[in-house]
């Protein structure tokens, strides 16, 4: 390597820069006297060039990633008997498919299989329990779906038994201000079976007609008819084969509408079905008040 220095000095200032020139000459002489072969070359791998520094802190020990706590799986209630099974499926705490599978296992187990009449009794008891009828909007549908998934034989046995028991319960004389929860489960069950085509709409309308012909049964008749109207889709007019039955129902409802206590039921029924059951003058006055 060569370094060349040039100075442009005015003659008048030569004496002032003489010491500076002498210093440069001494510096150059010193460089020329250095033996470069005495210096040790750098090693091929310099720790400083690799990002390491002498006496640096050793790298931290590798630790496995922290395991997050897994949420416990949702445990389904035990379904070791029919009562628990239908209580769980009615509240939608277990899927219908799982409940149906478990029910089939209970009925087919080698030791002490559950008989069909026990299944029907357990399903009916859960469906009509007055303390549970308002707990879940799909409780009747869940129970009927579970029975339907277990075969036509079981479903037919349930529908026959339930319809007969419902007719018996509806026919009991009741006060006009009675607690409808006592038979609401039967109304809900009948409407659900009509909706799922387990029984025909004509069968349910025949039952309502018989109830409307007896004044003590009006409350059960109107409640069941409202349940049929709000549950069935398509509506009753599209389901009933004999439309004369519906015409007869409407005529009988005119007598019911004369009682102010049933004004809400008649208005509710008119709103759902589009019927025009007239309210009596006395009923209209009570409504205005």
């Amino acid at each position: 390597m060569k370094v060349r220095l040039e100075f442009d000095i005015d003659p008048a200032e030569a004496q002032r820069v003489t010491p500076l020139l002498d210093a440069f000459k001494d510096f150059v002489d010193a460089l020329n006297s250095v033996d470069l072969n005495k210096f040790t070359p750098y090693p091929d791998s310099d720790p400083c060039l690799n990002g390491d520094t002498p006496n640096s802190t050793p790298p931290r020990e590798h630790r496995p990633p922290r395991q997050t706590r897994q949420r416990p799986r949702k445990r389904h209630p035990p379904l070791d008997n029919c009562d628990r099974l239908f209580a769980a499926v009615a509240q939608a705490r277990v899927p219908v498919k799982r409940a149906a599978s478990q029910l089939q296992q209970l009925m087919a187990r080698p030791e002490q299989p559950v008989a069909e009449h026990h299944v029907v009794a357990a399903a009916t008891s859960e469906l009509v329990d007055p303390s549970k009828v308002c707990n879940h909007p799909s409780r009747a549908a869940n129970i009927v779906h579970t029975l339907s998934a277990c075969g036509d034989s079981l479903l037919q046995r349930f529908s026959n038994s339930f319809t007969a028991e419902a007719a018996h319960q509806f026919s009991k004389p009741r006060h006009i201000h009675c607690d409808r929860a006592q038979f609401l489960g039967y109304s809900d069950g009948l409407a659900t079976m009509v909706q799922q085509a387990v029984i025909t709409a004509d069968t349910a309308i025949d039952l309502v007609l018989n109830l409307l012909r007896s004044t003590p049964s009006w409350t059960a008749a109107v409640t069941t008819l409202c349940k049929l109207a709000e549950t069935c889709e398509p509506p009753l007019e599209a389901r009933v084969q004999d439309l004369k039955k519906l015409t007869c129902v409407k005529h009988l409802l005119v007598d019911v509408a004369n009682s102010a206590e049933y004004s809400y039921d008649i208005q509710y029924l008119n709103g759902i079905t589009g019927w025009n059951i007239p309210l009596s003058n006395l009923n209209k006055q009570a409504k205005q008040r």
Side-chain angles (χ1 to χ4, degrees), residues 137-237:
S138 301
R139 60 191 317 275
N142 292 342
I143 291 176
V144 175
H145 275 307
T146 301
L147 295 170
S148 177
C150 293
D152 294 338
S153 174
L154 178 61
L155 183 62
Q156 188 64 41
R157 185 164 186 168
F158 169 78
S159 65
N160 293 340
S161 173
F162 188 86
T163 303
E165 188 172 337
H168 174 69
Q169 292 294 328
F170 290 154
S171 62
K172 292 181 178 181
R174 286 185 171 87
H175 190 269
I176 193 171
H177 297 298
C178 66
D179 182 9
R180 300 192 185 191
Q182 299 298 322
F183 57 85
L184 185 59
Y186 290 100
S187 300
D188 195 12
L190 280 177
T192 300
M193 287 195 292
V194 172
Q195 171 63 22
Q196 298 185 18
V198 179
I199 62 175
T200 64
D202 291 75
T203 300
I205 292 298
D206 286 338
L207 178 57
V208 171
L209 276 173
N210 292 331
L211 296 174
L212 287 174
R213 293 188 177 102
S214 176
T215 303
S217 303
W218 278 1
T219 303
V222 171
T223 302
T224 303
L225 192 57
C226 288
K227 271 294 180 181
L228 286 168
E230 72 181 22
T231 303
C232 292
E233 183 62 37
L236 290 173
E237 279 80 1

Side-chain angles (χ1 to χ4, degrees), residues 1-235:
M1 179 180 65
K2 294 182 179 181
V3 179
R4 182 177 180 179
L5 301 176
E6 294 183 358
F7 298 93
D8 187 8
I9 302 173
D10 188 88
E13 298 178 348
Q15 294 182 353
R16 297 181 181 179
V17 298
T18 298
L20 179 61
L21 294 176
D22 293 340
F24 273 114
K25 288 177 62 178
D26 294 340
F27 175 71
V28 173
D29 293 341
L31 288 177
N32 292 332
S33 63
V34 174
D35 187 2
L36 298 178
N37 294 326
K38 294 182 179 181
F39 288 91
T40 304
Y42 286 112
D44 294 337
S45 177
D46 188 354
C48 295
L49 297 178
N50 293 334
D52 299 331
T53 56
N55 301 325
S56 61
T57 305
R60 297 177 62 182
E61 181 181 356
H62 176 70
R63 297 180 180 179
R66 184 178 180 181
Q67 295 182 353
T68 58
R69 181 180 297 178
Q70 296 182 353
R71 293 183 179 180
R73 293 184 178 181
K74 183 178 180 181
R75 295 183 178 180
H76 294 296
L79 306 178
D80 52 355
N81 62 59
C82 290
D83 294 332
R84 291 180 178 177
L85 186 147
F86 285 114
V89 76
Q91 302 300 320
R93 288 187 281 124
V94 294
V96 170
K97 185 176 181 180
R98 180 175 181 267
S101 175
Q102 184 66 28
L103 181 58
Q104 290 174 328
Q105 293 179 24
L106 292 176
M107 298 175 65
R109 61 188 179 187
E111 297 181 0
Q112 297 181 345
V114 179
E116 282 191 354
H117 67 275
H118 287 152
V119 176
V120 171
T124 303
S125 177
E126 178 64 31
L127 183 53
V128 303
D129 189 339
S131 64
K132 301 179 180 179
V133 290
C134 298
N135 286 359
H136 196 280
S138 301
R139 60 191 317 275
N142 292 342
I143 291 176
V144 175
H145 275 307
T146 301
L147 295 170
S148 177
C150 293
D152 294 338
S153 174
L154 178 61
L155 183 62
Q156 188 64 41
R157 185 164 186 168
F158 169 78
S159 65
N160 293 340
S161 173
F162 188 86
T163 303
E165 188 172 337
H168 174 69
Q169 292 294 328
F170 290 154
S171 62
K172 292 181 178 181
R174 286 185 171 87
H175 190 269
I176 193 171
H177 297 298
C178 66
D179 182 9
R180 300 192 185 191
Q182 299 298 322
F183 57 85
L184 185 59
Y186 290 100
S187 300
D188 195 12
L190 280 177
T192 300
M193 287 195 292
V194 172
Q195 171 63 22
Q196 298 185 18
V198 179
I199 62 175
T200 64
D202 291 75
T203 300
I205 292 298
D206 286 338
L207 178 57
V208 171
L209 276 173
N210 292 331
L211 296 174
L212 287 174
R213 293 188 177 102
S214 176
T215 303
S217 303
W218 278 1
T219 303
V222 171
T223 302
T224 303
L225 192 57
C226 288
K227 271 294 180 181
L228 286 168
E230 72 181 22
T231 303
C232 292
E233 183 62 37

